[in-house]
Amino acid sequence: MAVFRLKDAAHENRLFLTRLVTAAAFVVLLTVALTSRLTYLQILHHERYETLARDNRVKIAPLPPTRGLIYDRNGQVLAENVSVYSLEIVPEQVKDLDATIARLQAILDITPGEVARFKRQMRRLKGFESIPLKLRLSDVEVARFAVKRPFFHGVDIRARLVRHYPYKELVSHVVGYVGSINERELKRLDPAEYRGTTHIGKVGVEQAYESVLHGHTGYAEIETNARGRELRVLQEVRPRPGADLHLTLDIELQQIAHAGLGEHNGAVVALNPKSGEILALVSKPGFDPNAFVYGISLKDYRALQHSPDRPLFDRTLRGSYPPGSTIKPFIGLAGLNYGVTDAHRKLYCPGYFQLPGVQHRYRDWKEWGHGSVSLDDAIIQSCDVYFYDLARNLGIDRIHAFLSQLGFGTRTGIDLAGEKNGLLPSRQWKQHALHQPWYPGETVITGIGQGFLQVTPLQLAKATAILANHGKLVTPHVAAYQQYPQEAPIASDPQASSEALDLDRRHWQTVIDAMIAVIHGARGTAHRISRGLDYLMAGKTGTAQVFTVKQDEKYHAKEVKEKLRDHALFIAFAPADSPRIAVSVIAENAGHGGSEAAPIARDLIDRYLSKENLHAQISP
Amino acid sequence: MSTALPHQPAQARDLWQRVHIDPFLLLGLLVLSGMGLVILYSATGGNLSLIYKQLVRLGLAFGVMVGLAQIHPRALYRWSPFLFGGGVILLLTVLILGDIGKGAQRWLDLGVIRFQPSEFIKIFTPMMVARFLADHPLPPRPRTIALSGVWIGVPVLLIAKQPDLGTALLVASAGFAILFFAGISWRLLGGLALGAAAALPVIWSLLHQYQRDRILMFLNPEQDPLGRGYHTIQAKIAIGSGGWTGKGWLQGTQAQLEFLPEPHTDFIFAVLAEDFGLLGCIGLFLLYLAIIGRGLHMALVAQDTFSRLMCASLAFTFFVYMFVNIGMVIGILPVVGVPLPLVSYGGTSMVTLMAGFGIMMSLHTHRKLVPS
C-alpha cells in the first residue's frame, strides 16, 4: 500500500505547503483581476452602459442587400426587383400579437399561410425588426389600413423590394424562383448573412447561384429610446448588393420554342456546341414563378402538383424519354468505330427482323420494308431493321461502352441542380436492378432507342453537340458572367474541356452526311423542313413509343387516346460544316418526329443564325 | 486550521464522519446551487419548467456526490489506471463513430443515454496522474514527469480534436495543477509552459473554423456585430449597466428583453451582474473562494500523496472553470464553451463537478484521524 506511506515526509510536506500557498495566492490574484475588470465596466463606465441599456438601447439592425438581377444574353431582364407595399409588424411593439393579427384579418384578407410564414420568420429575426405579414397590398387595401392605422401600434405599411419574373412561365424552370426561407434552409445557412432577408433561391438559377445573387448583409447600430423609436444611427456598414447574373439564354429563342410546341407538352434544348452555352432550355408547360414569391396557397400548389401535365416538373433536366430513332446516328457511329459495319455494307430489309431460332418478329415502321439499305440509307429513311441487326452484332456491352462516352446515362454537368441520370442499360445494371440476365432481344430494341434506354432532353442535346463537334466534349451551362455593381465582370464559364473522343474523322463525316440528307435529301424523313433553307442542316427524326403495339396489331394514331400517342423527337445542328447551334426537341404525344418536332428546330435555328451578333461569343 | 469543528459536539462530528460528508463543503455547494437557481429564474424570464429540470439535475448531481463519498480511497487509487484507460478508449470511440451533432463529435449515443466521454476524463486524468506520482518519490524525476505529460497530453489532444476547446483546456489545467502541486521544479514548469505555447499552432490547426472565428473575434468583437460579436457586445452592456447594486432581481432589461443571447447557459453571469451589480458579483466570488478554500484545506490535512494531489487539483480545476467562464463573459478571455459551475443551465458538467467533490469528501472523511 504505497498510498498510505509517505517517503521523506518532512521534505514533502514543506514542498507541498509552499505550493498550496502559491496556488491560493494565484486564485486570489486572478479573482481580484476579475473584480477590477468588473469595477471598470460597472463603476467607471456604468453611465455609458446604463445609457445604452435603458434609455437609449442600441439596436443592431441588419441592412439586407438587394438581390442581383438576372438577364438573358441580350440584356433582357428575366428576374427583377419591384417595389411593393407590404404590411409589416414589429413584434416587440405589439402587446398581444394573436389579437392584433385577428383584428387585421377583420379589415384585410390575410391567409393562414401568410400568418404561418410570419411566425416562422419571427422565430428567426430579432424582436425589433420589421417583419412582413402580407406582401403586395393593393391600393384599396393600403387605403383601408391607412384609415385604421392609429389603432394598430407596431403595425405599418412599408415599401419592400420583391422579386418579379416578367416572362412568367417562359423561363420558370431554368430561372427558377425565390421563396420564403424554411426550417431546413435555416439549418444550412449562415444566420448573420440572412438577417433581414426573407427570401432565398429555391430552384433553377436562383438556387444554383444563390451565393452570387444574394450579396452581403450590412448593419446599422441605431440608438433608440425606451419605446423603440429610432433616434439616430451611430454607425453603419453598407450592404454589398448581389451580383447581376447574365445568362447564355436567349429569351427570343425561348419564346419560339415555347410557341412552336403549340398545344403539346415537351422540352426543347438548344446550345452552342463549341462553347456549351445553353441558348434555349424550355420545359412545357411551365408555371408562374411569381406565385411562389408571395407564398402560394396550398390549394394552388396542390393543383400544380397534381396536374396531369406536371407543370412543376423540369422536363429538360429530369424528364426521361426513350430516344427512339434519334439514337440511330450514335449507334451507327458505334458500328463504324468497332468495325462492325462500314459505309458500303448493304442489308436487305424485308420489313421485319428475326433473331435466329426465335419466332418473334421485330417490325420495321415501314410494313413492306426498305429493300436493300446501306448505313446512310438506314439513317436517311430511319430503317429499323438495319439497326436491329447492327445492335445485335455490336452487343449490349459495346453499345453501353460507346454511348456512355457520349454522355448518356450520366449527368451532363450543367450548372443547375436536380439533373437526372437517365438510363443507359447494361448487363450489370439489369442484374443489379432487376436481378435478371440480359436477353438478346433487349439488345435488338436498344438499337432503335426503345426498351430500357432513357435519355433526358439535355443529354440528347449534349450528344448532338459532341457529334457536331466531331467528338470534342462540351459541358452545357447557363451562366455567362456575373457583375457586381461598379466592378469588372467575372466570367462564370466552366473551363472549356479540350477532351475529345478518339474516332476516325471519316466516321463522323459518314454519319453527318447521312444526317444532312435526312433534311436535304428527297427521301429524308425531315425533308419537309428543307424548303427555303440557305444553309446546311443535319438532323435526325425520332418517334418514341409510349406503349407497346402488340404483335399483328396496327397502330392508328387517331384511335389511341392522346396520352398514349407516340412522342415526337428531333435532333439537329447547323450549319453542318461549322456548327453554331445544336438542338434537341421532344414533343410529347405529338405523333411523328419529322412532321411535329422538326419544324420547331428549324424555326429556332433560322432565327438564331439570322441574328448577326451571334457570331461572337457572349461577352460583357 | 484544525479538522475538528469549533463548538461542535464530538457526536455530530462522528456522524458526519460516518456518512462521509463534509458539512462545510456541502453547505457551500447548497448555497451556491440555490443562488444559481435564483439567477437562472431571472435568466429564463421566469420559466419554471426549466427550473424544475435544473432541480432534478441538481438532485442527481448531489446524489452522485454522496454516493462517491462512500467509496474508500483505496478503491479509487486502485481503479484509476483502468478508469483512465477505459475513458481514453471511449474518447477514441467517439472520434471514430460519435454521431455528429452541433458540428462537433462529442456524444456517444447508447440509445437510452447519450453521454460525453470527455466529461469522465476530466476526473480520470487527474486520478491517473495523481496515482502515478504517488507511486514515485517526490519531487518527481524527469522520466516520471515525461510519462505524466503523456497521460495528460493524450486525452487533451483527443478532446481538442473533437473539437471541444473548453473541456480540453480544463483537462490540461487539471493535469498541470497536479504536476505543480507534486512539486516539480519551477524551471521545468517554465519549460512545460513553453512547450504548451509551442503546441498552440498544432492545436490551432486542429480547431474548427468556428472556434478560430471565436478567438479572432475575441481580439476584435466589433468586426461581426450581427453574428458572433453580438454576444460579447450585449454581455458588456448588460454587465456595465448593473452598477454597484444592479437593477434588482428580474429587472435586467438586457436579459428580459432578449438582447442577451443564451442568457441561461454560458452567459448567465451577465444576468447576475445586471440584476445584482458589482456587489452581487463579489458575493458570488466570495462563495466560490470559500468552496475552493475548503478544498485546499482538505488537501493540506490529507495524509497521503494521492489524496493531497487529488483534492488540490480538483479544487483548482473548479477555480479554472469559474475563471474561464466569467473571463469570457466580461470580455478578457476568448469565448470557449465553459459553463459557470453550478449556475449555468445544463446537466453533464454539473454531475462531473459534483462527482469531483464526492471524491474529495471520500478522501477527506476516510482519513485515520491522527492528531496533528
Side-chain angles (χ1 to χ4, degrees), chain A residues 316-323 407-412 418-425 429 452-460:
Chain A
T316 56
L317 269 60
R318 304 173 60 80
S320 295
Y321 300 89
F408 290 110
T410 50
R411 299 192 184 104
T412 63
E419 246 197 297
K420 278 268 190 285
N421 285 325
L423 175 58
L424 180 57
W429 163 81
F452 295 119
L453 186 62
Q454 302 263 310
V455 304
T456 67
L458 184 62
Q459 282 175 335
L460 200 53

Side-chain angles (χ1 to χ4, degrees), chain A residues 236-249:
Chain A
E236 70 169 16
V237 171
R238 301 294 314 154
R240 182 190 187 206
D244 292 343
L245 194 61
H246 293 256
L247 304 184
T248 60
L249 289 181

Side-chain angles (χ1 to χ4, degrees), chain B residues 204-216:
Chain B
W204 182 260
S205 70
L206 287 176
L207 293 184
H208 278 215
Q209 193 53 48
Y210 78 93
Q211 295 177 302
R212 291 180 193 166
D213 286 350
R214 278 181 176 180
I215 292 169
L216 293 173

Side-chain angles (χ1 to χ4, degrees), chain A residues 76-386:
Chain A
Q76 297 295 316
V77 179
L78 307 181
E80 60 192 346
N81 304 318
V82 294
S83 184
V84 298
Y85 287 119
S86 102
L87 183 72
E88 312 219 343
I89 299 182
V90 179
E92 201 181 67
Q93 297 174 6
V94 176
K95 282 207 170 55
D96 186 344
L97 195 66
D98 291 335
T100 303
I101 291 176
R103 279 165 53 218
L104 284 169
Q105 278 171 321
I107 51 170
L108 297 170
D109 176 32
I110 295 166
T111 65
E114 282 166 336
V115 175
R117 184 182 60 184
F118 172 82
K119 294 242 161 115
R120 199 166 59 226
Q121 290 182 345
M122 201 175 83
R123 276 201 294 279
R124 183 170 65 91
L125 303 170
K126 295 263 179 299
F128 55 74
E129 285 180 46
S130 178
I131 303 170
L133 173 64
K134 185 175 176 61
L135 290 163
R136 201 173 40 171
L137 297 177
S138 66
D139 291 350
V140 175
E141 287 170 315
V142 169
R144 220 185 286 161
F145 176 76
V147 176
K148 298 260 164 71
R149 194 174 145 207
F151 305 104
F152 287 99
H153 189 64
V155 184
D156 212 339
I157 287 181
R158 286 189 169 206
R160 243 184 209 267
L161 283 181
V162 170
R163 205 61 158 175
H164 180 250
Y165 304 99
Y167 288 101
K168 298 198 169 71
E169 76 277 12
L170 213 52
V171 285
S172 50
H173 295 104
V174 53
V175 170
Y177 54 84
V178 295
S180 76
I181 299 173
N182 66 28
E183 304 287 341
R184 205 178 53 244
E185 286 152 350
L186 273 186
K187 291 200 177 71
R188 259 189 318 104
L189 46 82
D190 176 358
E193 198 52 82
Y194 279 83
R195 287 271 319 271
T197 301
T198 54
H199 285 62
I200 191 169
K202 298 280 186 180
V203 293
V205 168
E206 289 275 34
Q207 179 209 5
Y209 287 90
E210 171 66 29
S211 56
V212 174
L213 293 163
H214 176 66
H216 285 295
T217 304
Y219 63 89
E221 280 187 31
I222 301 168
E223 261 192 344
T224 66
N225 67 9
R227 289 198 311 279
R229 277 275 316 267
E230 299 181 358
L231 298 178
R232 64 191 177 112
V233 175
L234 297 174
Q235 63 156 335
E236 70 169 16
V237 171
R238 301 294 314 154
R240 182 190 187 206
D244 292 343
L245 194 61
H246 293 256
L247 304 184
T248 60
L249 289 181
D250 185 330
I251 193 69
E252 204 186 339
L253 298 187
Q254 291 280 120
Q255 275 158 331
I256 290 171
H258 211 268
L261 281 166
E263 77 245 31
H264 301 299
N265 295 338
V268 178
V269 181
L271 76 161
N272 177 333
K274 292 278 173 286
S275 62
E277 288 174 15
I278 297 270
L279 303 166
L281 197 64
V282 171
S283 173
K284 197 179 171 188
F287 54 90
D288 183 1
N290 295 305
F292 287 86
V293 177
Y294 298 105
I296 190 166
S297 78
L298 198 59
K299 186 168 69 79
D300 291 351
Y301 186 64
R302 285 268 156 78
L304 283 174
Q305 259 190 318
H306 298 304
S307 159
D309 290 331
R310 305 183 67 193
L312 294 176
F313 181 64
D314 184 355
R315 290 164 162 81
T316 56
L317 269 60
R318 304 173 60 80
S320 295
Y321 300 89
S325 301
T326 55
I327 204 73
K328 288 173 183 172
F330 307 110
I331 299 280
L333 268 179
L336 295 169
N337 176 48
Y338 291 114
V340 174
T341 188
D342 60 44
H344 311 294
R345 177 171 169 267
K346 294 250 182 197
L347 179 96
Y348 182 75
C349 163
Y352 62 88
F353 173 83
Q354 275 179 303
L355 283 167
V358 182
Q359 271 297 302
H360 185 87
R361 285 188 166 193
Y362 296 91
R363 288 180 298 187
D364 197 295
W365 64 270
K366 206 165 177 181
E367 238 179 305
W368 53 92
H370 291 88
S372 180
V373 286
S374 62
L375 177 60
D376 57 347
D377 296 328
I379 290 176
I380 294 163
Q381 300 175 47
S382 204
C383 167
D384 292 334
V385 170
Y386 186 95

Side-chain angles (χ1 to χ4, degrees), chain B residues 234-271:
Chain B
Q234 294 298 347
K236 251 196 239 174
I237 294 175
I239 296 163
S241 63
W244 275 108
T245 55
K247 302 169 185 173
W249 192 42
L250 305 179
Q251 301 305 309
T253 50
Q254 285 290 104
Q256 303 303 331
L257 294 176
E258 295 176 14
F259 269 79
L260 185 66
E262 299 179 53
H264 60 290
T265 54
D266 290 356
F267 277 77
I268 196 163
F269 182 77
V271 179

